[in-house]
Amino acid sequence: MTRIVTVAAAQLGPIARKDTRAQVVERMLALMRQAKSHGCDLVVFPELALTTFFPRWYFERQEEIDAFFEREMPGPETQRLFDAARSLELGFYLGYAELANEGGRTRRFNTSILVDKTGRIVGKYRKIHLPGHAEHEPWRRFQHLEKRYFEVGDLGFPAFRASFGAEGIFGMAICNDRRWSETYRILGLQAVEVILIGYNTPVHNPPAPEHDALSHFHNELVMQAGAYQNGTWVVGVAKAGNEEGVEQIGNSIVVAPSGEIVAACTTTGDELAIARCDLDLCASYKNTTFNFARHREPAQYRMIVERKGAIPPD
Ligand code: ING
């Protein structure tokens, strides 16, 4: 029995600072209804999908920062997404800013959740690779203060067995995570079949403006490589367009385990890119070229990493 999951990359255009969560949720519900009309099982929204990308600004007051965070999930503003999942029988990935009280203290993470067709949260991930800087750097055209506003994720890169039309093994990552090969390999070592990734990626990268012209190329390169080298589907979804004066890439894509891009958004607005993902295609790579049990040499890697190998000691 072929295991097909029909996935929609649900790209969002810009979200202004003044836009309310209710307005954004309305846009997301429209995309969910559209996805359902196209036979989708799963919708993937971007990173920090409920608000504007607030780490682009330096805030002094914690209450200003915390206005961008969700204290409960679902909460009053997001319950409608969970209700739609149940009524439409349509799962979703949602990126949001999580404010949690754990171990008697307040924690703040850049988080994503995976919600199944019954509206149940079946997976949670907290962003590990936080790019940018922790202190105000006025020389920049805009800030990138994720290291100031979020803690490094403490859940690892877990994979989840879940069902969206067909049962499979799903993993999540967020934005900068997709640039690091470890993200894909740690999930690949858990036999992942679909990796879901939301992102907010400015075209301009202040520390390396010479890379700006390659922002689409790098976006596709990392997800195509991660998919192929781990025999998994990868879905990358943008918050796109000119958001509060910062141009963010669109380029949302669905990548097959072959590394081929099989669906792509072509605008920088609210748009679906839809693909029928055959999860059994993963085996064509996991059982041959990337048969980890047969071809990987972890003992060799450990030796080199522990400086017993080719790298000369300091
Ligand atoms: N954004 C960007 C990303 O990794 C970035 C930051 C842009 C890093 C360009 C390097 C180059 O896509 C987030 N939110 O991680």
Short mmCIF file of all heavy atoms in Angstrom, two decimals, residues 55-97:
data_model
loop_
_atom_site.label_atom_id
_atom_site.label_comp_id
_atom_site.label_asym_id
_atom_site.label_seq_id
_atom_site.Cartn_x
_atom_site.Cartn_y
_atom_site.Cartn_z
N PRO A 55 12.45 39.89 15.98
CA PRO A 55 13.89 40.00 16.29
C PRO A 55 14.64 40.99 15.40
O PRO A 55 15.83 41.26 15.64
CB PRO A 55 14.41 38.56 16.10
CG PRO A 55 13.21 37.68 16.31
CD PRO A 55 12.06 38.46 15.74
N ARG A 56 13.95 41.58 14.40
CA ARG A 56 14.62 42.59 13.56
C ARG A 56 14.75 43.93 14.31
O ARG A 56 15.44 44.84 13.80
CB ARG A 56 13.86 42.81 12.26
CG ARG A 56 12.51 43.48 12.39
CD ARG A 56 12.01 43.96 11.03
NE ARG A 56 11.79 42.84 10.13
CZ ARG A 56 10.63 42.17 10.00
NH1 ARG A 56 9.58 42.53 10.71
NH2 ARG A 56 10.52 41.16 9.17
N TRP A 57 14.11 44.01 15.49
CA TRP A 57 14.18 45.25 16.25
C TRP A 57 14.81 45.05 17.63
O TRP A 57 14.68 43.95 18.21
CB TRP A 57 12.77 45.84 16.49
CG TRP A 57 12.07 46.27 15.25
CD1 TRP A 57 12.50 47.18 14.31
CD2 TRP A 57 10.79 45.80 14.81
NE1 TRP A 57 11.56 47.31 13.32
CE2 TRP A 57 10.49 46.49 13.61
CE3 TRP A 57 9.84 44.90 15.31
CZ2 TRP A 57 9.31 46.30 12.91
CZ3 TRP A 57 8.66 44.71 14.62
CH2 TRP A 57 8.41 45.40 13.42
N TYR A 58 15.47 46.12 18.16
CA TYR A 58 16.00 46.10 19.52
C TYR A 58 14.96 46.72 20.45
O TYR A 58 14.53 47.85 20.24
CB TYR A 58 17.31 46.90 19.58
CG TYR A 58 17.84 47.05 20.98
CD1 TYR A 58 18.35 45.96 21.68
CD2 TYR A 58 17.81 48.30 21.63
CE1 TYR A 58 18.85 46.09 22.98
CE2 TYR A 58 18.30 48.44 22.92
CZ TYR A 58 18.80 47.33 23.59
OH TYR A 58 19.27 47.47 24.87
N PHE A 59 14.51 45.91 21.42
CA PHE A 59 13.54 46.39 22.40
C PHE A 59 14.23 46.46 23.76
O PHE A 59 14.98 45.55 24.11
CB PHE A 59 12.34 45.43 22.50
CG PHE A 59 11.48 45.40 21.28
CD1 PHE A 59 11.54 44.31 20.42
CD2 PHE A 59 10.59 46.42 20.97
CE1 PHE A 59 10.75 44.24 19.29
CE2 PHE A 59 9.79 46.36 19.83
CZ PHE A 59 9.88 45.27 18.99
N GLU A 60 13.95 47.51 24.52
CA GLU A 60 14.49 47.62 25.88
C GLU A 60 13.58 46.90 26.88
O GLU A 60 14.03 46.20 27.77
CB GLU A 60 14.58 49.11 26.27
CG GLU A 60 15.60 49.93 25.49
CD GLU A 60 17.00 49.84 26.11
OE1 GLU A 60 17.19 49.03 27.04
OE2 GLU A 60 17.90 50.55 25.64
N ARG A 61 12.26 47.11 26.73
CA ARG A 61 11.32 46.67 27.75
C ARG A 61 10.83 45.24 27.48
O ARG A 61 10.35 44.95 26.37
CB ARG A 61 10.13 47.64 27.84
CG ARG A 61 10.55 49.04 28.33
CD ARG A 61 9.38 50.00 28.55
NE ARG A 61 8.53 50.12 27.37
CZ ARG A 61 7.26 49.71 27.37
NH1 ARG A 61 6.72 49.14 28.44
NH2 ARG A 61 6.52 49.85 26.28
N GLN A 62 10.92 44.37 28.49
CA GLN A 62 10.54 42.96 28.33
C GLN A 62 9.06 42.83 27.96
O GLN A 62 8.69 41.97 27.17
CB GLN A 62 10.82 42.16 29.62
CG GLN A 62 10.70 40.65 29.45
CD GLN A 62 11.67 40.08 28.44
OE1 GLN A 62 12.88 40.33 28.49
NE2 GLN A 62 11.17 39.32 27.46
N GLU A 63 8.23 43.73 28.48
CA GLU A 63 6.80 43.58 28.16
C GLU A 63 6.53 43.85 26.69
O GLU A 63 5.62 43.28 26.09
CB GLU A 63 5.91 44.47 29.04
CG GLU A 63 6.21 45.94 29.05
CD GLU A 63 7.22 46.31 30.16
OE1 GLU A 63 8.04 45.44 30.52
OE2 GLU A 63 7.20 47.47 30.61
N GLU A 64 7.35 44.70 26.07
CA GLU A 64 7.22 44.92 24.61
C GLU A 64 7.56 43.65 23.85
O GLU A 64 6.89 43.27 22.90
CB GLU A 64 8.17 46.04 24.17
CG GLU A 64 7.58 47.44 24.16
CD GLU A 64 8.49 48.42 23.41
OE1 GLU A 64 9.65 48.57 23.86
OE2 GLU A 64 8.06 48.96 22.40
N ILE A 65 8.63 42.99 24.31
CA ILE A 65 9.07 41.75 23.65
C ILE A 65 8.02 40.65 23.85
O ILE A 65 7.62 39.98 22.90
CB ILE A 65 10.42 41.30 24.25
CG1 ILE A 65 11.50 42.36 23.99
CG2 ILE A 65 10.83 39.94 23.71
CD1 ILE A 65 12.73 42.20 24.86
N ASP A 66 7.55 40.53 25.08
CA ASP A 66 6.64 39.43 25.42
C ASP A 66 5.29 39.54 24.71
O ASP A 66 4.57 38.56 24.60
CB ASP A 66 6.45 39.33 26.93
CG ASP A 66 7.69 38.79 27.61
OD1 ASP A 66 8.62 38.36 26.88
OD2 ASP A 66 7.75 38.79 28.86
N ALA A 67 4.98 40.71 24.17
CA ALA A 67 3.72 40.88 23.41
C ALA A 67 3.72 40.01 22.15
O ALA A 67 2.65 39.70 21.60
CB ALA A 67 3.53 42.34 23.04
N PHE A 68 4.92 39.59 21.73
CA PHE A 68 5.01 38.77 20.51
C PHE A 68 4.94 37.27 20.82
O PHE A 68 4.94 36.46 19.90
CB PHE A 68 6.32 39.08 19.77
CG PHE A 68 6.41 40.47 19.23
CD1 PHE A 68 7.15 41.44 19.90
CD2 PHE A 68 5.74 40.83 18.07
CE1 PHE A 68 7.23 42.74 19.40
CE2 PHE A 68 5.82 42.13 17.56
CZ PHE A 68 6.56 43.08 18.24
N PHE A 69 4.87 36.91 22.12
CA PHE A 69 4.93 35.51 22.52
C PHE A 69 3.53 34.95 22.82
O PHE A 69 2.62 35.69 23.18
CB PHE A 69 5.82 35.35 23.76
CG PHE A 69 7.30 35.41 23.47
CD1 PHE A 69 7.92 36.61 23.19
CD2 PHE A 69 8.07 34.25 23.45
CE1 PHE A 69 9.28 36.68 22.91
CE2 PHE A 69 9.43 34.29 23.17
CZ PHE A 69 10.03 35.52 22.90
N GLU A 70 3.43 33.62 22.67
CA GLU A 70 2.18 32.90 23.05
C GLU A 70 2.42 32.25 24.41
O GLU A 70 3.41 31.55 24.58
CB GLU A 70 1.85 31.81 22.02
CG GLU A 70 1.84 32.27 20.57
CD GLU A 70 0.95 33.47 20.31
OE1 GLU A 70 -0.20 33.46 20.80
OE2 GLU A 70 1.42 34.40 19.64
N ARG A 71 1.51 32.48 25.35
CA ARG A 71 1.62 31.89 26.68
C ARG A 71 0.94 30.53 26.75
O ARG A 71 1.16 29.76 27.68
CB ARG A 71 1.05 32.84 27.74
CG ARG A 71 1.96 34.04 28.00
CD ARG A 71 1.22 35.21 28.59
NE ARG A 71 2.15 36.31 28.89
CZ ARG A 71 2.72 37.09 27.97
NH1 ARG A 71 2.49 36.86 26.67
NH2 ARG A 71 3.57 38.06 28.29
N GLU A 72 0.07 30.24 25.80
CA GLU A 72 -0.57 28.92 25.76
C GLU A 72 -0.81 28.56 24.30
O GLU A 72 -0.97 29.44 23.45
CB GLU A 72 -1.87 28.92 26.55
CG GLU A 72 -2.80 30.05 26.23
CD GLU A 72 -4.06 30.07 27.11
OE1 GLU A 72 -4.51 28.99 27.54
OE2 GLU A 72 -4.58 31.16 27.32
N MET A 73 -0.81 27.26 24.02
CA MET A 73 -1.01 26.77 22.66
C MET A 73 -1.82 25.45 22.71
O MET A 73 -1.29 24.46 23.22
CB MET A 73 0.33 26.55 21.98
CG MET A 73 0.24 26.19 20.50
SD MET A 73 -0.72 27.33 19.48
CE MET A 73 0.35 28.75 19.48
N PRO A 74 -3.09 25.44 22.23
CA PRO A 74 -3.75 26.61 21.65
C PRO A 74 -4.15 27.64 22.69
O PRO A 74 -4.38 27.28 23.84
CB PRO A 74 -5.00 26.01 20.99
CG PRO A 74 -5.28 24.77 21.76
CD PRO A 74 -3.94 24.24 22.20
N GLY A 75 -4.20 28.89 22.24
CA GLY A 75 -4.70 29.97 23.10
C GLY A 75 -5.95 30.54 22.45
O GLY A 75 -6.40 30.04 21.40
N PRO A 76 -6.51 31.57 23.04
CA PRO A 76 -7.77 32.15 22.52
C PRO A 76 -7.67 32.55 21.04
O PRO A 76 -8.60 32.37 20.26
CB PRO A 76 -8.00 33.37 23.39
CG PRO A 76 -7.05 33.30 24.52
CD PRO A 76 -6.01 32.28 24.22
N GLU A 77 -6.48 33.05 20.64
CA GLU A 77 -6.34 33.53 19.24
C GLU A 77 -6.06 32.39 18.26
O GLU A 77 -6.24 32.54 17.07
CB GLU A 77 -5.17 34.51 19.17
CG GLU A 77 -5.13 35.50 20.30
CD GLU A 77 -5.67 36.86 19.89
OE1 GLU A 77 -6.41 36.94 18.89
OE2 GLU A 77 -5.32 37.82 20.56
N THR A 78 -5.54 31.27 18.77
CA THR A 78 -5.09 30.21 17.84
C THR A 78 -6.00 28.99 17.87
O THR A 78 -5.85 28.08 17.05
CB THR A 78 -3.66 29.76 18.21
OG1 THR A 78 -3.60 29.46 19.62
CG2 THR A 78 -2.65 30.86 17.89
N GLN A 79 -6.97 28.97 18.79
CA GLN A 79 -7.88 27.82 18.90
C GLN A 79 -8.56 27.54 17.56
O GLN A 79 -8.78 26.38 17.19
CB GLN A 79 -8.95 28.08 19.98
CG GLN A 79 -9.90 26.91 20.21
CD GLN A 79 -9.18 25.64 20.63
OE1 GLN A 79 -8.38 25.66 21.56
NE2 GLN A 79 -9.43 24.53 19.94
N ARG A 80 -8.82 28.59 16.80
CA ARG A 80 -9.52 28.42 15.51
C ARG A 80 -8.72 27.55 14.54
O ARG A 80 -9.29 26.84 13.71
CB ARG A 80 -9.81 29.78 14.87
CG ARG A 80 -10.80 30.65 15.66
CD ARG A 80 -11.05 31.98 14.95
NE ARG A 80 -11.79 31.76 13.70
CZ ARG A 80 -11.80 32.65 12.68
NH1 ARG A 80 -11.08 33.76 12.76
NH2 ARG A 80 -12.52 32.41 11.60
N LEU A 81 -7.39 27.59 14.66
CA LEU A 81 -6.56 26.75 13.78
C LEU A 81 -6.75 25.27 14.14
O LEU A 81 -6.86 24.41 13.26
CB LEU A 81 -5.09 27.14 13.92
CG LEU A 81 -4.70 28.54 13.45
CD1 LEU A 81 -3.25 28.86 13.85
CD2 LEU A 81 -4.87 28.66 11.93
N PHE A 82 -6.83 24.99 15.43
CA PHE A 82 -7.00 23.61 15.90
C PHE A 82 -8.41 23.11 15.56
O PHE A 82 -8.59 21.95 15.17
CB PHE A 82 -6.74 23.53 17.40
CG PHE A 82 -5.29 23.73 17.79
CD1 PHE A 82 -4.70 24.99 17.73
CD2 PHE A 82 -4.51 22.66 18.19
CE1 PHE A 82 -3.37 25.18 18.06
CE2 PHE A 82 -3.17 22.83 18.54
CZ PHE A 82 -2.60 24.10 18.47
N ASP A 83 -9.38 23.99 15.68
CA ASP A 83 -10.76 23.63 15.31
C ASP A 83 -10.84 23.30 13.82
O ASP A 83 -11.50 22.34 13.41
CB ASP A 83 -11.74 24.78 15.64
CG ASP A 83 -11.81 25.08 17.13
OD1 ASP A 83 -11.36 24.22 17.93
OD2 ASP A 83 -12.26 26.19 17.50
N ALA A 84 -10.13 24.11 13.01
CA ALA A 84 -10.13 23.87 11.55
C ALA A 84 -9.44 22.56 11.22
O ALA A 84 -9.87 21.82 10.33
CB ALA A 84 -9.43 25.03 10.84
N ALA A 85 -8.37 22.24 11.96
CA ALA A 85 -7.68 20.96 11.72
C ALA A 85 -8.67 19.81 11.87
O ALA A 85 -8.73 18.90 11.03
CB ALA A 85 -6.51 20.80 12.68
N ARG A 86 -9.48 19.91 12.91
CA ARG A 86 -10.44 18.83 13.20
C ARG A 86 -11.57 18.84 12.18
O ARG A 86 -11.89 17.81 11.59
CB ARG A 86 -11.00 19.01 14.62
CG ARG A 86 -11.55 17.76 15.24
CD ARG A 86 -11.83 17.86 16.74
NE ARG A 86 -12.19 19.20 17.20
CZ ARG A 86 -11.34 20.02 17.87
NH1 ARG A 86 -10.09 19.61 18.08
NH2 ARG A 86 -11.71 21.21 18.27
N SER A 87 -12.11 20.03 11.87
CA SER A 87 -13.28 20.06 10.97
C SER A 87 -12.88 19.77 9.52
O SER A 87 -13.62 19.14 8.77
CB SER A 87 -13.97 21.43 11.05
OG SER A 87 -13.07 22.45 10.66
N LEU A 88 -11.68 20.19 9.14
CA LEU A 88 -11.24 19.94 7.76
C LEU A 88 -10.47 18.61 7.64
O LEU A 88 -10.11 18.20 6.53
CB LEU A 88 -10.33 21.08 7.29
CG LEU A 88 -10.96 22.48 7.19
CD1 LEU A 88 -9.89 23.53 6.88
CD2 LEU A 88 -12.04 22.48 6.12
N GLU A 89 -10.18 17.99 8.79
CA GLU A 89 -9.31 16.78 8.80
C GLU A 89 -8.01 17.09 8.05
O GLU A 89 -7.67 16.48 7.02
CB GLU A 89 -10.04 15.58 8.18
CG GLU A 89 -11.24 15.14 9.00
CD GLU A 89 -11.90 13.88 8.45
OE1 GLU A 89 -11.15 12.97 7.99
OE2 GLU A 89 -13.14 13.81 8.45
N LEU A 90 -7.30 18.07 8.61
CA LEU A 90 -6.10 18.61 7.96
C LEU A 90 -5.10 18.98 9.05
O LEU A 90 -5.39 19.83 9.89
CB LEU A 90 -6.50 19.86 7.15
CG LEU A 90 -5.42 20.65 6.44
CD1 LEU A 90 -4.78 19.80 5.34
CD2 LEU A 90 -6.02 21.94 5.86
N GLY A 91 -3.92 18.35 9.02
CA GLY A 91 -2.91 18.64 10.03
C GLY A 91 -2.14 19.90 9.66
O GLY A 91 -2.22 20.40 8.53
N PHE A 92 -1.38 20.43 10.63
CA PHE A 92 -0.55 21.60 10.32
C PHE A 92 0.69 21.67 11.19
O PHE A 92 0.73 21.11 12.30
CB PHE A 92 -1.35 22.91 10.41
CG PHE A 92 -1.86 23.29 11.77
CD1 PHE A 92 -1.08 24.02 12.66
CD2 PHE A 92 -3.14 22.92 12.18
CE1 PHE A 92 -1.54 24.38 13.93
CE2 PHE A 92 -3.63 23.28 13.44
CZ PHE A 92 -2.83 24.00 14.32
N TYR A 93 1.72 22.34 10.65
CA TYR A 93 2.95 22.73 11.36
C TYR A 93 2.84 24.22 11.59
O TYR A 93 2.49 24.96 10.65
CB TYR A 93 4.17 22.42 10.50
CG TYR A 93 5.48 23.12 10.81
CD1 TYR A 93 6.58 22.41 11.26
CD2 TYR A 93 5.67 24.49 10.58
CE1 TYR A 93 7.82 23.02 11.51
CE2 TYR A 93 6.88 25.12 10.85
CZ TYR A 93 7.95 24.39 11.30
OH TYR A 93 9.17 25.01 11.54
N LEU A 94 3.09 24.66 12.80
CA LEU A 94 2.99 26.09 13.12
C LEU A 94 4.23 26.55 13.88
O LEU A 94 4.61 25.93 14.89
CB LEU A 94 1.75 26.36 13.99
CG LEU A 94 1.59 27.80 14.49
CD1 LEU A 94 1.25 28.73 13.32
CD2 LEU A 94 0.52 27.86 15.58
N GLY A 95 4.86 27.62 13.37
CA GLY A 95 5.97 28.22 14.10
C GLY A 95 5.47 29.41 14.90
O GLY A 95 4.66 30.20 14.41
N TYR A 96 5.93 29.52 16.17
CA TYR A 96 5.48 30.64 17.00
C TYR A 96 6.49 30.89 18.11
O TYR A 96 7.36 30.05 18.39
CB TYR A 96 4.10 30.36 17.60
CG TYR A 96 4.04 29.21 18.58
CD1 TYR A 96 4.10 29.43 19.96
CD2 TYR A 96 3.97 27.90 18.14
CE1 TYR A 96 4.07 28.38 20.86
CE2 TYR A 96 3.94 26.85 19.03
CZ TYR A 96 3.98 27.08 20.39
OH TYR A 96 3.95 26.04 21.28
N ALA A 97 6.38 32.04 18.76
CA ALA A 97 7.24 32.39 19.89
C ALA A 97 6.58 31.87 21.15
O ALA A 97 5.45 32.25 21.48
CB ALA A 97 7.43 33.90 19.97
#
